[in-house]
Amino acid sequence: MAKRLWQLQMIFQDAITFVKARGIPLCKDSLIRLVECCNAEALKDELAGYWQVYGGFKSLIVSPWLWLAVAVTFFCWPFSSQGGWIGAAFSILPSLLGLSIGAMAITLAFPTTSIFNLLAENGRENSYYLDVASKFLHFVLVQVTALLFCFFASAYPAKLTNIVAFLMTSYAILTAAATATTLYGVAQVYNKSASSLDEVSAPSKE
């Protein structure tokens, strides 16, 4: 028995020595490479740019979709405080996330079209193009946040976590309507630009 304990102690000491000699430097190098790949400063600048173009907390607070989500959460209080709805959220949110990412891909495809110059407004910092892109990014972030809150509420079931997760899920679902509304606004710009081009290309009558 004592011999086995001694052997286990030696194995444990060898493992500690290996971790100190090879494991810690390897983890350190991997972490440095991960930070370099993520480029935290660039990510910070991009998120700051999105938040500025979106309108910051002011736009968030006055958003009718957010207040509608609050109303839905309030009127569904007996249901929202329970955790039985989380399974449905796990089925709904990934589809909504795919919808928003697809809509954002459409936005990112604008530079390949002739309408891009109209949307970009000569490179203005808060152009309509960046405004639309920031809205779609906001929708994606809301839906990802709602999904994470559902994970948290599932791991730590409580009335407070369920209500917060339900609020975020309601807001995420309503962003689907916001996505459709934004796309309709883009369609209006397309339609207006098409009519303008027709007027320009039409032959003048003498």
Side-chain angles (χ1 to χ4, degrees), residues 64-171:
W65 308 110
L66 177 60
W67 287 106
L68 186 56
V70 172
V72 170
T73 304
F74 177 77
F75 287 111
C76 296
W77 188 270
F79 179 66
S80 61
S81 59
Q82 305 299 322
W85 55 269
I86 294 179
F90 285 142
S91 301
I92 295 171
L93 290 175
S95 299
L96 291 179
L97 188 59
L99 171 66
S100 296
I101 292 176
M104 192 170 185
I106 295 174
T107 304
L108 295 178
F110 284 155
T112 61
T113 64
S114 58
I115 198 176
F116 174 70
N117 291 331
L118 178 64
L119 297 175
E121 300 180 59
N122 297 321
R124 194 160 60 90
E125 292 184 357
N126 56 345
S127 65
Y128 183 74
Y129 174 72
L130 286 181
D131 179 63
V132 172
S134 69
K135 288 180 180 177
F136 286 137
L137 178 57
H138 180 74
F139 302 155
V140 170
L141 292 178
V142 167
Q143 291 157 12
V144 170
T145 303
L147 194 57
L148 293 177
F149 269 104
C150 287
F151 282 131
F152 188 79
S154 180
Y156 303 98
K159 182 173 289 188
L160 178 61
T161 56
N162 288 335
I163 291 172
V164 174
F166 188 88
L167 173 62
M168 291 303 303
T169 302
S170 300
Y171 186 29

Side-chain angles (χ1 to χ4, degrees), residues 24-81:
I24 293 178
L26 181 61
C27 291
K28 184 178 179 180
D29 292 341
S30 300
L31 182 60
I32 292 174
R33 291 178 183 178
L34 179 62
V35 171
E36 290 176 350
C37 291
C38 291
N39 200 348
E41 287 298 326
L43 179 61
K44 180 180 177 181
D45 292 340
E46 289 168 359
L47 290 177
Y50 133 74
W51 191 240
Q52 181 179 2
V53 174
Y54 178 74
F57 284 105
K58 181 179 179 181
S59 295
L60 181 64
I61 294 301
V62 300
S63 171
W65 308 110
L66 177 60
W67 287 106
L68 186 56
V70 172
V72 170
T73 304
F74 177 77
F75 287 111
C76 296
W77 188 270
F79 179 66
S80 61
S81 59

